[in-house]
Amino acid sequence: MTEPRADRPHVPGYGIPTSTDGILPWSWAVERLERAIVYWLATTGADGAPHVIPIWGAWVDGRWFVEGGPTRWQRNLRENPQLAIHIEVGSEVVIVEGTATEHVAPEPSVAEAILAGYAKYKTAADYEADAANWSQGGLWELHPVKAFAWSTFPSDMTRYRFPAGPGGGTSREAVR
């Protein structure tokens, strides 16, 4: 994956520095995304109603993967593929926004990488993901468009913008 561009968001009144001195490297965010056990997943239904759920997932090779059955968040993604995730740790904030794609029976090398990302749940919750469960769908991939991270707000508030195309998310004209 191509490294995202890091800068500062423009949010008047919050004291966010304008200089890029002190921004967090993308590797800081990736470490937290990879080790997170619980992620908060936000989707929106066709009627515009928001839906947020704590869920397990795996950050693998610059993408976030999540699996599950025929639930509301999956119905929402089929109607509107935009989503956001946030790691559960509130003192170390990492928020990733993007678009989702559903996978059906991913290639074996991709499935192996995702299963390796889910291996953290064997110790944490005695759960092992199984690629056989994805033969009919139910495995989603987040393609990041932008992300935000901080540990000491507002001094290290960082925005990341991902390139469009194979190494990044979908391009958007208005990125805050």
Side-chain angles (χ1 to χ4, degrees):
M1 179 183 121
T2 304
E3 193 86 0
R5 187 177 79 210
D7 62 10
R8 301 282 192 171
H10 177 68
V11 186
Y14 281 86
I16 297 169
T18 56
S19 152
T20 56
D21 293 339
I23 63 174
L24 296 168
W26 178 238
S27 60
W28 183 91
V30 168
E31 287 174 23
R32 282 138 187 89
L33 287 163
E34 287 176 343
R35 74 173 184 234
I37 298 298
V38 175
Y39 304 81
W40 285 90
L41 168 63
T43 61
T44 304
D47 61 355
H51 178 66
V52 180
I53 184 172
I55 198 164
W56 293 348
W59 187 267
V60 178
D61 296 330
R63 303 277 200 251
W64 184 68
F65 293 88
V66 61
E67 63 175 3
T71 58
R72 181 175 171 192
W73 65 265
Q74 287 204 38
R75 290 189 303 273
N76 287 350
L77 289 176
R78 288 186 181 104
E79 294 290 326
N80 177 357
Q82 293 184 17
L83 72 159
I85 62 168
H86 181 293
I87 61 171
E88 185 174 49
V89 180
S91 61
E92 295 184 326
V93 174
V94 181
I95 302 165
V96 182
E97 300 175 1
T99 57
T101 303
E102 186 173 16
H103 289 274
V104 176
E107 294 293 321
S109 62
V110 173
E112 287 176 26
I114 297 166
L115 291 171
Y118 265 87
K120 62 189 172 186
Y121 295 106
K122 178 64 177 163
T123 302
D126 198 28
Y127 172 76
E128 288 186 70
D130 184 348
N133 294 336
W134 310 330
S135 65
Q136 302 297 313
L139 174 68
W140 293 83
E141 175 182 357
L142 181 154
H143 303 268
V145 172
K146 64 182 171 179
F148 300 92
W150 65 86
S151 63
T152 309
F153 186 87
S155 63
D156 64 356
M157 173 69 165
T158 307
R159 172 182 55 193
Y160 308 95
R161 297 190 228 194
F162 295 83
T170 305
S171 175
R172 288 189 195 162
E173 291 301 315
V175 178
R176 295 179 136 196

